[in-house]
Amino acid sequence: MNELAITVIGRDRPGIVADVAEVLARLGANLTDSTMTRLRGHFAMTLICVGPTSAAVEDALGPLTADGQLLATVREVRPDGEVASAGERYVMSVHGADRMGIVAAMTRAVTEAGGNVTDLSTRLAGTLYVVVAEVDLPAGASDALTGRLAQVAADLGVEVALRPADPDLL
């Protein structure tokens, strides 16, 4: 069996998730990880599955992309398995007036502290910009990072919070 990374993007419409999932199920592909969202009327889905060859999946997804409204890519990936976090999980939330560079500056501070961003979403609601990110930090790094994030946030004119992630929630 092959491990595949599949992306599907395009103008949102009802049924895309069901259509893709049905194609994969008919092929005997087991969906192991996935995420999907709507971004200002556009659909974006990324998933990992174990199943047939990438060519077989591309062919099977062909009818869904034939009208040009959706784009699907399929790529074989190396099955590395689940990588355990080397540190502690936190949630970083940022909100404030929209301006260029918020995501870049805040994630750079996390990286410089030895952290890794494992999930990130942003939303613009009027002039309010919101970032929510899950980050893995080295043990004991949160105090120093909290101070650094406060400095970066002050420079950007936004608010930031860093709190431990609840291990009982996905």
Side-chain angles (χ1 to χ4, degrees):
M1 296 298 265
N2 302 291
E3 189 161 271
L4 305 172
I6 302 169
T7 61
V8 180
I9 59 171
R11 172 75 52 199
D12 188 37
R13 64 164 173 75
I16 298 172
V17 173
D19 292 344
V20 172
E22 287 171 353
V23 165
L24 295 174
R26 280 194 301 269
L27 290 173
N30 185 32
L31 208 140
T32 58
D33 279 315
S34 67
T35 186
M36 71 75 50
T37 192
R38 282 184 348 154
L39 303 167
R40 299 198 180 268
H42 298 276
F43 173 86
M45 177 183 205
T46 303
L47 58 93
I48 302 291
C49 69
V50 178
T53 65
S54 59
V57 173
E58 285 173 350
D59 289 345
L61 290 172
L64 298 180
T65 63
D67 67 0
Q69 296 298 305
L70 291 176
L71 172 67
T73 62
V74 182
R75 179 175 168 230
E76 289 191 31
V77 293
R78 185 177 42 177
D80 292 331
E82 186 68 25
V83 177
S85 170
E88 302 167 336
R89 292 181 42 198
Y90 284 82
V91 174
M92 176 182 70
S93 57
V94 181
H95 67 277
D98 184 29
R99 64 173 288 176
M100 297 289 286
I102 294 172
V103 173
M106 299 308 263
T107 57
R108 178 57 58 200
V110 170
T111 300
E112 289 173 350
N116 185 32
V117 176
T118 59
D119 192 60
L120 183 134
S121 64
T122 65
R123 286 285 185 257
L124 178 60
T127 60
L128 178 66
Y129 193 71
V130 178
V131 179
V132 178
E134 292 179 15
V135 299
D136 284 341
L137 297 177
S142 64
D143 289 340
L145 178 57
T146 298
R148 178 67 183 127
L149 288 173
Q151 288 176 322
V152 173
D155 291 345
L156 293 169
V158 297
E159 299 292 323
V160 64
L162 184 68
R163 64 176 172 74
D166 185 343
D168 294 331
L169 299 177
L170 279 176

